[in-house]
Amino acid sequence: RHNRAVGGDDNTAGTFVNAGIGGGLANNGSNPFAATGGSTIILVNSNVANNQAVGGIGADGLGGGVANVLGGVVHVSASTLTHNRAQGGDGGDGLGGGIYNGVASTHPSNFNAPTVLTVEGSVITHNRAQGSAAGAGTATGDGLGGGLWNGGTAVVRDSEMSYNFALGGDGADGSGGGDGFGGGAYNAAAGSLQFEGCTATKNHANGGEGDAGDGEGIGGGVYNLGDFESDTLTQILGNHASTSHD
């Protein structure tokens, strides 16, 4: 609880330059000291709460509660992720207020290994993905995936996703607001996301305000660019988006 992962400001190299990764917990599947990478974390009966991942200047905040990257494997069961925040640094985006599950690994130790997340019998609630406000010389940031940002392979089963927020940053004088996409979940183009027996309700996706126009808020429950499937027991209802519906 009450942990912060804060990105740097002056780094120029690396996979996640200046990003703040995993406010409560970060799992990295790559291993530069082994021929094959691999890292698995299992969370059972856990409470991941009040953590922050904050990007450095121009960088993203990834996974306010949990971040899983570069071919890692994370299993979450009978747990609660609440009041976590992914906050973009000046000009950066906030991705995955509760959980960030990244794309397949680009590291040589496990190149193209899928980044895998399973969530079962858990609650993801009151988390926030917040894009940065525009400042002097910086752009406005987007908020993507208030509860979950997925670019890998994710299955969410018998779980609740509620009261999460994806919020675009506010623009400065003469600039537009950032976008808020996927109040409950954001599934990127490379992502495969399945909901089985889940409820996604009362989540919000709101664009930021700006002199040159407000940002878009789309997908209060789920914003999908990839492969998304839900079964007949899943309910996605009662969500809000500032420029669209569920």
Side-chain angles (χ1 to χ4, degrees), residues 177-199:
D179 296 326
F181 293 161
Y186 180 101
N187 191 40
S192 172
L193 175 62
Q194 295 182 31
F195 278 7
E196 300 176 3
C198 294
T199 299

Side-chain angles (χ1 to χ4, degrees), residues 1 8 11 13 29 74 78 97 106 112 122 124 150 161 167 175 188 194 196 207-209 226:
R1 293 181 178 222
N11 300 308
V74 170
T106 57
N112 213 34
S122 296
I124 301 173
N150 178 57
M161 195 173 289
L167 302 174
S175 65
Q194 295 182 31
E196 300 176 3
E209 297 180 352

